[in-house]
Amino acid sequence: MTAAQSVVQHPTHGRFEPNRVLIHYGEIALKGRNRSRFEKALRHNLRHRLRAAGLRPEIHQGHQRIWVDLDGLAASDCDEVMQAASETPGIVTYQPVHFLPATGHSDRQALLEQARMLLADLANRVDHPGKGTFAVRVKRADKRFPLPSDQIAARIGQSIIEHSPWERVDLKHPDQTFHLDIYLDGMYCYGTRYRGLGGLPVGPGGRGLALLSGGIDSPVAAFVMAKRGCRVDFLHFTASPAQQRKDADHAVIQLARQLSRYTGHSRLFMVPYDHFDMALHGDQRGHEVILFRRFVARTGEALAKRLKALALITGDSLGQVASQTMENMVSTSLAVRIPIMRPLVGLDKADIVDIARRIGTYEMSIQPYKDCCALLDHRPRTRTLPYNLENIEQQLGLTDPALLQATLDDAVCLQFAAGRDLET
Ligand code: ATP
Ligand code: MG
């Protein structure tokens, strides 16, 4: 840390400085006896995410909440913690808070006074839009606290009106809410509560291998699965993997790096499609694309076995393009024994684009890039029968294990964690 960076000082009398980032998770709490496993995964993922950013703050577990201790961190590190919380699956809300610890003998009334001053100070710093309204919400987990919540809220509200530009109260639809949560161990003061990704922590949901193109859909599919707790690695077919690995700005490398913000840690396997292309020789009357899909699935199955991944993940959406008819999806699925998960199958393109924009992959996906251009030039058949395809594959030798082996032998592997490249 440089001397120029300000260090958060605690406690600061009357001055609101966040000393914790408080994190709530919704669904994990419903998991009965599995709960502690999910909570552990969430803390572990957050810790790794922060370590990748060079931070090692303490992470604590409370009752249905966890918090990151900001003590001793620079103010800019607090932003990093917030960023990490916003990108970690399983987190429903997160907020920077000023925590006032209750020591055994501390006078609760004095603590409340302190909280009142802190919230008035916070109100002074929060942007105040012209005619903005506010509300104060008080939650008492400590029911022995001598004053009722609404009386406490009214007193804090009065202080905010006296000491900040906020003067209009609207308890139903306020523009800004100021919170005081009273627990046995102390009081939490905070303003805005931010919405996290939701979902479940990555890890307990098993491992999947996402077939990643440079397009819009497959990165979203990988994200959606990670958000439900799946560990995700990537497989990408491209013209020249060895060449591509040298280009850190390549679209697919950018995508894998960006996705690792959510997946935590992911490997990107880039394999060449020329072994397949050579075996294909000549015109296959519109079957090229589906033959390729089946070959990708078989390669994915072989790699998944090595990685102990239980399923493949694709960005298929029913009817979106000619190759994504139900017949063709079934034809692809029947080429392998491993299940193919298609989390976007029922989504409209506009909804997929919305997610891609939110997770920061959209701009990367629309860069000009053709992964397997020679094949995509053909007009694909919309109806294919697995039986016909099997015959063609037999004739061309596309199911030959040596072909899969040659493809995987040329694989190049890159690793990413928390949005950064790992040395490989
Ligand atoms: P995307 O936007 O993900 O590219 P798409 O609408 O272009 O999808 P297709 O090109 O038909 O759809 O591909 C269907 C799925 O096959 C993709 O979502 C992806 O999972 C997989 N796929 C396509 N091309 C590749 C590739 N070069 N390497 C690995 N997987 C691929
Ligand atoms: Mg595509």
Side-chain angles (χ1 to χ4, degrees):
M1 201 186 324
T2 63
Q5 284 176 307
S6 65
V7 172
V8 179
Q9 302 287 331
H10 311 291
T12 357
H13 209 71
R15 190 173 160 82
F16 183 96
E17 294 284 7
N19 52 6
R20 289 182 178 182
V21 173
L22 185 62
I23 288 168
H24 287 96
Y25 38 84
E27 242 179 290
I28 306 179
L30 304 174
K31 293 283 166 191
R33 272 194 284 158
N34 272 335
R35 192 166 96 196
S36 65
R37 205 170 125 237
F38 282 85
E39 287 172 335
K40 199 168 157 204
L42 182 56
R43 293 195 309 273
H44 174 272
N45 294 347
L46 200 55
R47 188 171 297 118
H48 270 256
R49 177 70 163 76
L50 291 169
R51 275 197 188 163
L55 300 181
R56 290 171 181 267
E58 282 185 33
I59 299 177
H60 300 267
Q61 179 71 55
H63 178 62
Q64 299 199 357
R65 64 206 151 103
I66 60 179
W67 69 86
V68 181
D69 212 320
L70 299 179
D71 268 321
L73 296 193
S76 58
D77 293 341
C78 173
D79 297 340
E80 187 72 53
V81 174
M82 294 285 284
Q83 178 84 14
S86 74
E87 293 170 349
T88 302
I91 294 177
V92 175
T93 60
Y94 59 98
Q95 65 253 32
V97 301
H98 191 131
F99 177 69
L100 295 168
T103 58
H105 313 287
S106 82
D107 178 358
R108 289 178 186 163
Q109 206 57 42
L111 216 54
L112 193 57
E113 279 306 292
Q114 225 179 320
R116 188 169 61 83
M117 277 163 21
L118 287 176
L119 286 169
D121 181 56
L122 174 64
N124 240 327
R125 296 143 175 260
V126 175
D127 279 345
H128 177 253
K131 293 181 175 159
T133 57
F134 80 97
V136 176
R137 304 246 189 269
V138 174
K139 203 168 84 184
R140 274 185 317 155
D142 178 8
K143 293 291 179 207
R144 295 172 315 176
F145 201 81
L147 284 176
S149 301
D150 51 355
Q151 273 186 35
I152 301 174
R155 271 169 61 176
I156 296 171
Q158 196 54 43
S159 289
I160 289 175
I161 290 169
E162 282 165 19
H163 300 292
S164 83
W166 296 91
E167 49 190 25
R168 293 175 56 221
V169 173
D170 181 345
L171 294 182
K172 281 204 175 127
H173 305 288
D175 295 308
Q176 175 69 47
T177 308
F178 299 100
H179 297 263
L180 175 66
D181 293 355
I182 303 173
Y183 288 95
L184 278 178
D185 59 342
M187 297 184 186
Y188 288 89
C189 309
Y190 55 96
T192 307
R193 179 182 271 171
Y194 298 90
R195 201 178 261 284
L197 291 175
L200 296 167
V202 170
R207 185 182 291 280
L209 178 62
L211 307 180
L212 192 67
S213 71
I216 296 169
D217 306 309
S218 48
V220 173
F223 164 76
V224 165
M225 292 299 287
K227 195 171 95 90
R228 293 304 301 173
C230 182
R231 272 190 200 293
V232 187
D233 290 309
F234 310 116
L235 172 62
H236 175 64
F237 274 76
T238 181
S240 45
Q243 199 73 30
Q244 201 159 306
R245 89 172 304 165
K246 295 189 195 126
D247 178 6
D249 281 335
H250 194 283
V252 169
I253 295 179
Q254 282 184 21
L255 282 168
R257 187 185 293 126
Q258 177 67 11
L259 285 167
S260 74
R261 291 174 173 275
Y262 312 101
T263 62
H265 172 254
S266 287
R267 288 166 287 188
L268 166 65
F269 295 87
M270 296 192 287
V271 297
Y273 70 87
D274 55 0
H275 298 285
F276 167 83
D277 207 19
M278 278 189 281
L280 192 67
H281 47 240
D283 183 0
Q284 298 304 329
R285 301 185 310 280
H287 284 117
E288 290 80 358
V289 171
I290 189 71
L291 289 171
F292 179 59
R293 293 273 173 273
R294 284 165 62 96
F295 185 73
V296 172
R298 273 189 226 106
T299 313
E301 182 173 45
L303 181 59
K305 206 176 244 173
R306 286 190 203 170
L307 303 177
K308 297 195 167 58
L310 297 176
L312 303 180
I313 300 160
T314 73
D316 293 308
S317 157
L318 184 60
Q320 194 192 86
V321 291
S323 59
Q324 292 172 19
T325 58
M326 195 182 293
E327 280 91 341
N328 281 350
M329 285 192 224
V330 169
S331 287
T332 305
S333 288
L334 289 176
V336 286
R337 297 190 61 182
I338 190 170
I340 302 181
M341 297 193 171
R342 300 178 169 89
L344 312 183
V345 75
L347 293 193
D348 292 348
K349 189 75 181 184
D351 298 330
I352 299 171
V353 166
D354 273 354
I355 302 175
R357 283 189 202 279
R358 262 192 281 135
I359 64 173
T361 55
Y362 181 77
E363 296 299 329
M364 299 167 183
S365 293
I366 57 170
Q367 301 171 73
Y369 168 50
K370 280 195 168 180
D371 40 13
C372 308
C373 37
L375 297 164
L376 297 178
D377 285 343
H378 295 274
R379 268 181 75 196
R381 289 195 181 225
T382 52
R383 283 162 193 269
T384 52
L385 294 172
Y387 173 75
N388 290 345
L389 294 168
E390 278 163 23
N391 277 343
I392 300 172
E393 283 166 348
Q394 288 291 326
Q395 285 162 20
L396 297 175
L398 287 175
T399 49
D400 183 356
L403 199 62
L404 285 189
Q405 194 55 48
T407 301
L408 284 174
D409 283 349
D410 288 341
V412 164
C413 175
L414 299 175
Q415 296 198 55
F416 305 91
R420 291 171 167 83
D421 298 24
L422 290 185
E423 294 293 327
T424 37

